[in-house]
Amino acid sequence: MNVKDNRAWLLVLPVLVIVAFNAVIPMMTMVNYSVQDIFGPGNAYFVGREWFEELLGDFELRNALLRQVMFSSLVLLIEVPLGIVIALALPKRGRSVALCLIILGLPLLMPWNVVGVMWQIFARSDIGLGGAAISALGIDFNYSRDVVDAWFTIIVMDVWHWTSLIVLLAYSGLRAIDPAYYRAAQIDGASRWQVFRYVELPKLSGVLTIGIMLRLMDSLMIYSELFVITGGGPGSSTSFLSQTLVKKAIGQFDLGPAASFSIIYFMIIVTLCFVFFRSITRTQEGE
Amino acid sequence: MMTETMPTTPSLAGTQTSAAARVRPGRKPLLKKLVLSLFFLFLLAPIYWLVVMSFKTDNEIISELTLWPQTFTLENYRIIFTTHSWWSSYINSALYVTLNTIISLAVALPAAYAFSRFRFLGDRHLFFWLLTNRMTPPAVFVLPYFQFYSAFGLIDTHIAVAIAHCVFNVPLAVWILEGFLKGVPKSVDETAYIDGYSFPRFFLTVLIPLIRSGIGVTAFFCFMFSWVELILARTLTTADAKPIVAVMTRVYSGAGIEWGLIAAAGVLTLVPGILVIWFVRNHIARGFAMGRV
């Protein structure tokens, strides 16, 4: 058990200062804007809940949220199992480990809009290898015209981009498992699946919680890749929460509605992550 | 650690190897290799295409699909290395990323220590609140950041981006480091205090060397998330500190897209990442091996 000592606050103070500077003050600015109608400096009117009421009935926001939830669930459902499978298949030792880790790290270290640029090129059926390969199969593939193709492209892109993160975390978790557990499972005559289910998976739950949380947060914030690759289109079929917000904030320069959108958006993410976090930690405590 | 002690008798060693062999039957490695090869192919194919394109002329890129440059050219790279706005943007990025990593580690280390060792008023709430900052979409902060940093006259400086990126890197750093610090037994602290170490001396000479790998892993993640971020970096810079991620979006304006140039710029954004992995690879391996990320 940790010692109770309120002086520990002093150690946390630098973090508080820097995060307050970056998060609390800007957030308060947003709250301030969200209840006003702003025409220019010194020309603002208090409007109360008007923007919030308007937004909650707004189709644009609701559809963006719906698409966002669909996108985030799809990528999580693909990336987490795939990541675990790859982590299990990675070599345990030897020279190839370093090489594998470096290749796995590549997608993670690529700036997000470069990822977008790369896939924008790669998935084009006229000048891109990937798009041309699909076209060669006789499928008319065009992500800038067809909704299904656009969704397929961004999901494959996200899987390409982020599966490595799950792999690296799961791999580290697997490496930390005491070999004695494997021996015990072997003595009990456990099958490969049982070893995974009752030895490896519980031991992985810690790192996987972090991995899933990070993926959930980041998929809910996805912006730069889509900004380059589909620009939210065709139509607004791949326009998620961030795209809709930036369009409002910068495109239309509607400070009041943009600020209330920001607050709703932030609330959605925190709520989703909190519910998710609690349900994962509950299951872990239950086991 | 205890499990790594050598088996005392040869017969015990024999059972271990057979156990390992039976948990992973003989035909599995082939399937594993196949899965791995397919996955790595999938990872490398787009990167390969980007690299190949950077050595092609724009004419070749648009007119035909070639797996290998027909007319090999270094022109795209030459443009980047001789145009000030291009090459300086790489330096700008590297500067604020380094600053951000240093600041994040410096403030996160004491906080992570506090969370791992003490209970204090509101500690759990504080921890989750910190994490909520990691959850805030940068898009939410575009407007207030611009106004806020303008008010301080910080727009278009490297330190502005470095501080702004702390909003997601500091919580992450605290989270990861706390995991590593929990793995350090409390007896280490106690022994050091009995030996008469002051807190700063203990922290710098005992604790930090102990979690070197953890610091390496944290630095890697801070570097990574700061290097790849676009929205805030673009919002807070105009000319002098403009990062490469923002300069790249400029290629789209004007007459047509210079595909070769943008591919070359993209390839070059990978270089610092590869260097960082190379330098911290041992720490990363050890850090990952501790399983505390």
Side-chain angles (χ1 to χ4, degrees), chain A residues 170-182:
Chain A
Y171 185 70
S172 71
L174 285 172
R175 291 283 63 72
I177 297 177
D178 193 325
Y181 285 96
Y182 287 108

Side-chain angles (χ1 to χ4, degrees), chain A residues 214-226:
Chain A
L214 279 177
R215 277 315 298 130
L216 182 69
M217 294 173 194
D218 287 338
S219 72
L220 289 170
M221 298 179 204
I222 186 166
Y223 175 80
S224 313
E225 299 95 315
L226 301 181

Side-chain angles (χ1 to χ4, degrees), chain A:
Chain A
M1 203 60 195
N2 285 342
V3 196
K4 191 162 173 64
D5 189 345
N6 279 329
R7 281 178 305 173
W9 267 97
L10 290 175
L11 295 171
V12 188
L13 206 62
V15 165
L16 282 187
V17 170
I18 204 152
V19 176
F21 184 79
N22 270 309
V24 178
I25 299 173
M27 200 45 111
M28 286 305 113
T29 320
M30 291 314 248
V31 172
N32 183 24
Y33 287 166
S34 70
V35 292
Q36 299 187 65
D37 196 352
I38 299 161
F39 298 104
N43 195 1
Y45 300 92
F46 182 75
V47 294
R49 293 173 316 208
E50 191 185 314
W51 300 129
F52 288 96
E53 279 164 11
E54 202 173 281
L55 274 171
L56 289 177
D58 187 19
F59 276 111
E60 211 183 340
L61 172 63
R62 270 198 226 166
N63 290 337
L65 176 62
L66 215 68
R67 285 191 290 262
Q68 180 75 70
V69 169
M70 199 159 103
F71 174 77
S72 295
S73 350
L74 270 174
V75 294
L76 274 173
L77 282 175
I78 299 172
E79 283 166 18
V80 176
L82 181 65
I84 296 175
V85 168
I86 302 295
L88 287 169
L90 276 178
K92 306 275 177 296
R93 58 186 70 82
R95 216 168 271 181
S96 54
V97 173
L99 185 69
C100 287
L101 291 181
I102 288 175
I103 297 177
L104 283 168
L106 282 178
L108 299 175
L109 286 157
M110 202 177 248
W112 294 349
N113 63 330
V114 177
V115 171
V117 167
M118 197 178 69
W119 279 87
Q120 185 197 28
I121 302 166
F122 188 70
R124 270 179 66 148
S125 49
D126 52 348
I127 64 169
L129 190 62
I134 296 175
S135 297
L137 297 173
I139 301 162
D140 179 27
F141 187 80
N142 187 330
Y143 64 79
S144 58
R145 214 179 45 221
D146 188 274
V147 176
V148 178
D149 292 354
W151 269 79
F152 178 78
T153 310
I154 58 171
I155 293 214
V156 172
M157 177 191 72
D158 203 79
V159 169
W160 178 88
H161 193 178
W162 286 111
T163 305
S164 296
L165 183 74
I166 306 280
V167 176
L168 290 176
L169 291 172
Y171 185 70
S172 71
L174 285 172
R175 291 283 63 72
I177 297 177
D178 193 325
Y181 285 96
Y182 287 108
R183 285 201 292 279
Q186 204 273 317
I187 290 163
D188 290 345
S191 68
R192 183 69 192 88
W193 166 252
Q194 284 169 324
V195 169
F196 174 71
R197 175 64 188 81
Y198 297 105
V199 177
E200 291 171 336
L201 198 58
K203 290 281 167 192
L204 283 183
S205 58
V207 279
L208 280 183
T209 307
I210 296 184
I212 294 172
M213 288 290 286
L214 279 177
R215 277 315 298 130
L216 182 69
M217 294 173 194
D218 287 338
S219 72
L220 289 170
M221 298 179 204
I222 186 166
Y223 175 80
S224 313
E225 299 95 315
L226 301 181
F227 172 74
V228 179
I229 190 165
T230 63
S236 53
S237 58
T238 55
S239 181
F240 303 133
L241 290 171
S242 272
Q243 278 77 21
T244 318
L245 172 60
V246 172
K247 217 189 298 169
K248 264 204 165 42
I250 293 173
Q252 302 162 2
F253 217 76
D254 255 347
L255 286 182
S260 30
F261 192 117
S262 299
I263 289 164
I264 296 175
Y265 184 10
F266 179 61
M267 288 305 183
I268 291 171
I269 293 198
V270 172
T271 315
L272 279 176
C273 289
F274 186 71
V275 169
F276 212 76
F277 189 63
R278 284 314 299 257
S279 69
I280 294 181
T281 43
R282 267 262 171 87
T283 352
Q284 279 171 4
E285 280 158 15
E287 273 189 0

Side-chain angles (χ1 to χ4, degrees), chain B residues 194-227:
Chain B
I194 290 168
D195 289 349
Y197 278 76
S198 65
F199 177 72
R201 182 152 164 247
F202 156 73
F203 206 85
L204 294 173
T205 61
V206 179
L207 202 63
I208 287 182
L210 268 178
I211 55 159
R212 252 194 342 258
S213 318
I215 294 175
V217 173
T218 315
F220 171 76
F221 274 98
C222 288
F223 174 91
M224 175 183 116
F225 280 112
S226 179
W227 180 255

Side-chain angles (χ1 to χ4, degrees), chain B residues 85-130:
Chain B
S85 65
W86 274 113
W87 63 257
S88 69
S89 66
Y90 282 98
I91 296 173
N92 292 336
S93 293
L95 264 175
Y96 72 70
V97 168
T98 314
L99 274 173
N100 171 268
T101 308
I102 294 170
I103 298 173
S104 299
L105 282 175
V107 300
L109 267 167
Y113 179 74
F115 282 117
S116 75
R117 289 294 191 271
F118 303 108
R119 276 184 306 135
F120 48 94
L121 195 66
D123 52 355
R124 304 190 86 184
H125 299 284
L126 194 65
F127 200 64
F128 190 78
W129 172 75
L130 268 183

